[in-house]
Amino acid sequence: MLKIEPNKNLTRLTTLQIGAPAEFFAVIKSREDLDEAIVWAKKNKKTIWILGGGSNVLISKKIVGLVLKNEIRGMAIKKEGATTAIVEAKSGESWIRFVNFTVEHNLSGLENLFLIYGTVGAAPVQNIGAYGVELKDVFYSLTAIDLKTGCERIFKPADCRFGYRDSIFKNKLKGRYFIYSVAVKLSKKPSLKLDYGSLREKLAEQGIKKPSLKDVVAAIAEIRNSKLPNPGTLPNAGSFFKNIETSLAIYKKLLKKYPGLPFWPVSAARVKIPAGWLIENAGFKGKKFGSVGMHDKQALILVNYGGASAKQAGALVKKVKAAVKKKFGLDLEEEVNII
Ligand code: EPU
């Protein structure tokens, strides 16, 4: 029997440790729990909200409806070919455990995405990415449940409309489906992506010329641990803003004023500018405003130094956006889901 709690505070269930109450709340551990929750929500005319690892949200006000904390777990190798394998995980599984599982089975493809907090179910919603790899590069399919009808639907790569930290589940289908399981297609032979600057530098620094799968995992772990705060000790939600895509013409104009402004080419006429650089150069790196601030090693990360409120975080977000706009004329867009 599903336990539905009224008026549950969600603060401790987010990695930023900022929250508000949910009108109703339940933990789901199985497909049966989910089905029961869907029936309950229909009967009581309540909207369903899904909470995974809480690693990419800023809950700023009471959530009206039924919040489901997804703890449906499990993972397995589904199919093996001569050179590839399909590996599937249930959506409430920890992403870090999933990557570990694939690496332990000597399967390559997810290693650059090691140590990203959150659940498997959130990965396709955000099309998570790091060190030159995005989920879409290895995504095979997902099974989702329609929260209105309880019917199952399979999504193949093209159905998901993946983009930079974006998918159909953030847009047209927002709130409509519960992602139940995610399958990726991995390689039995290491197919390593080593182009990302900091990864290349780390491997060179360690004197590793021909890295193994485990070398890459270790290098990624080192880079992340040196730059990104562990939410267990310093609450945060990862990158708070997205990197900015703009035209080459605007970039060139800015470069004249700010020599050294970094960029990555996106196409012949478009580039991406790291938001962390802009925030740092607008003077926010390591700056504290009461209980909140932008991290001292990665200016893109908003951190809660203890007991911060959504109001304080919101005020800092506004300040950072206004300063970047004023100095560079560029608009920062939140990567974190603000509710
Ligand atoms: N930079 C600065 N100052 C800073 C931070 C960054 O100048 O304080 C500049 C540097 O030029 C650096 C460049 O930004 O070379 C890129 O920095 P970094 O490699 O740390 O990556 P990022 O672009 O800031 C993105 C993702 C991260 C992901 C890393 C590594 C987004 C929004 N963020 O950050 O993802 O781990 O690349 O691939 O795309 C997340 O989404 O939560 C996340 C942590």
Side-chain angles (χ1 to χ4, degrees), residues 50-66:
I50 312 295
L51 189 62
S55 59
N56 204 49
V57 284
L58 168 56
I59 299 173
S60 62
K61 57 175 191 290
K62 180 174 175 171
I63 301 184
V64 179
L66 171 63

Side-chain angles (χ1 to χ4, degrees), residues 12 21 24 37 51 97 121 176 185 262 264 337:
R12 298 279 162 257
F24 293 100
L51 189 62
R97 267 174 44 93
R176 168 98 183 261
K185 188 174 184 175
W264 301 281
N337 187 10

Side-chain angles (χ1 to χ4, degrees), residues 19-83:
E23 188 187 9
F24 293 100
F25 174 84
V27 175
I28 51 168
K29 291 182 185 283
S30 64
R31 178 69 202 269
E32 290 70 36
D33 286 351
L34 174 67
D35 290 342
E36 214 180 302
I38 293 174
V39 170
W40 186 92
K42 202 170 190 176
K43 193 170 143 215
N44 293 281
K45 296 197 170 57
K46 295 292 170 195
T47 304
I48 290 180
W49 299 74
I50 312 295
L51 189 62
S55 59
N56 204 49
V57 284
L58 168 56
I59 299 173
S60 62
K61 57 175 191 290
K62 180 174 175 171
I63 301 184
V64 179
L66 171 63
V67 172
L68 297 179
K69 167 94 169 74
N70 182 5
E71 290 186 5
I72 304 177
R73 299 198 176 116
M75 48 199 164
I77 297 175
K78 283 289 177 191
K79 211 160 68 184
E80 275 194 70
T83 56

Side-chain angles (χ1 to χ4, degrees), residues 15-320:
T15 62
L16 244 183
Q17 300 276 302
I18 293 176
E23 188 187 9
F24 293 100
F25 174 84
V27 175
I28 51 168
K29 291 182 185 283
S30 64
R31 178 69 202 269
E32 290 70 36
D33 286 351
L34 174 67
D35 290 342
E36 214 180 302
I38 293 174
V39 170
W40 186 92
K42 202 170 190 176
K43 193 170 143 215
N44 293 281
K45 296 197 170 57
K46 295 292 170 195
T47 304
I48 290 180
W49 299 74
I50 312 295
L51 189 62
S55 59
N56 204 49
V57 284
L58 168 56
I59 299 173
S60 62
K61 57 175 191 290
K62 180 174 175 171
I63 301 184
V64 179
L66 171 63
V67 172
L68 297 179
K69 167 94 169 74
N70 182 5
E71 290 186 5
I72 304 177
R73 299 198 176 116
M75 48 199 164
I77 297 175
K78 283 289 177 191
K79 211 160 68 184
E80 275 194 70
T83 56
T84 58
I86 308 291
V87 192
E88 187 184 83
K90 297 286 189 326
S91 54
E93 189 58 78
S94 134
W95 178 261
I96 296 177
R97 267 174 44 93
F98 185 40
V99 176
N100 257 328
F101 176 84
T102 63
V103 172
E104 271 162 20
H105 286 83
N106 275 316
L107 295 169
S108 171
L110 293 184
E111 56 278 2
N112 292 32
L113 304 179
F114 185 48
L115 280 194
I116 297 180
Y117 293 92
T119 54
V120 165
V125 178
Q126 276 288 101
N127 180 26
I128 58 170
Y131 309 101
V133 174
E134 286 183 338
L135 176 73
K136 75 168 169 47
D137 302 334
V138 288
F139 178 84
Y140 183 71
S141 71
L142 66 80
T143 303
I145 317 291
D146 189 323
L147 286 169
K148 284 223 166 75
T149 62
C151 290
E152 235 178 69
R153 177 172 162 194
I154 308 285
F155 286 78
K156 297 303 264 181
D159 304 324
C160 298
R161 311 261 171 89
F162 288 125
Y164 168 55
R165 293 295 190 280
D166 201 27
S167 75
I168 197 162
F169 305 105
K170 279 178 93 172
N171 299 297
K172 203 174 145 205
L173 298 183
K174 191 172 178 178
R176 168 98 183 261
Y177 284 95
F178 174 89
I179 295 174
Y180 180 69
S181 64
V182 177
V184 291
K185 188 174 184 175
L186 303 178
S187 172
K188 287 184 160 180
K189 276 199 205 124
S191 88
L192 306 173
K193 300 255 170 59
L194 308 171
D195 292 338
Y196 198 87
S198 51
L199 178 57
R200 226 176 26 229
E201 285 154 23
K202 176 59 71 186
L203 291 165
E205 182 192 306
Q206 295 173 331
I208 299 172
K209 287 211 175 75
K210 282 202 164 170
S212 67
L213 184 57
K214 296 222 160 103
D215 290 334
V216 175
V217 169
I220 298 280
E222 259 198 54
I223 302 170
R224 292 194 80 97
N225 288 332
S226 69
K227 266 203 207 166
L228 308 175
N230 178 337
T233 43
L234 188 55
N236 73 86
S239 301
F240 202 91
F241 301 99
K242 291 185 189 180
N243 288 324
I244 296 180
E245 194 185 311
T246 188
S247 70
L248 187 60
I250 289 180
Y251 172 76
K252 280 187 172 160
K253 232 188 209 168
L254 281 168
L255 187 64
K256 277 197 189 129
K257 212 166 161 198
Y258 304 102
L261 175 66
F263 78 104
W264 301 281
V266 173
S267 64
R270 310 227 12 115
V271 300
K272 225 183 241 175
I273 299 178
W277 190 96
L278 300 170
I279 296 168
E280 176 174 349
N281 286 276
F284 284 89
K285 192 172 189 169
K287 263 222 174 145
K288 263 188 179 181
F289 299 82
S291 307
V292 289
M294 303 312 287
H295 191 48
D296 59 353
K297 295 198 186 79
Q298 226 300 4
L300 197 49
I301 297 178
L302 185 149
V303 291
N304 171 3
Y305 290 102
S309 65
K311 210 169 159 195
Q312 286 172 317
L316 176 55
V317 169
K318 253 196 183 155
K319 239 184 254 170
V320 169

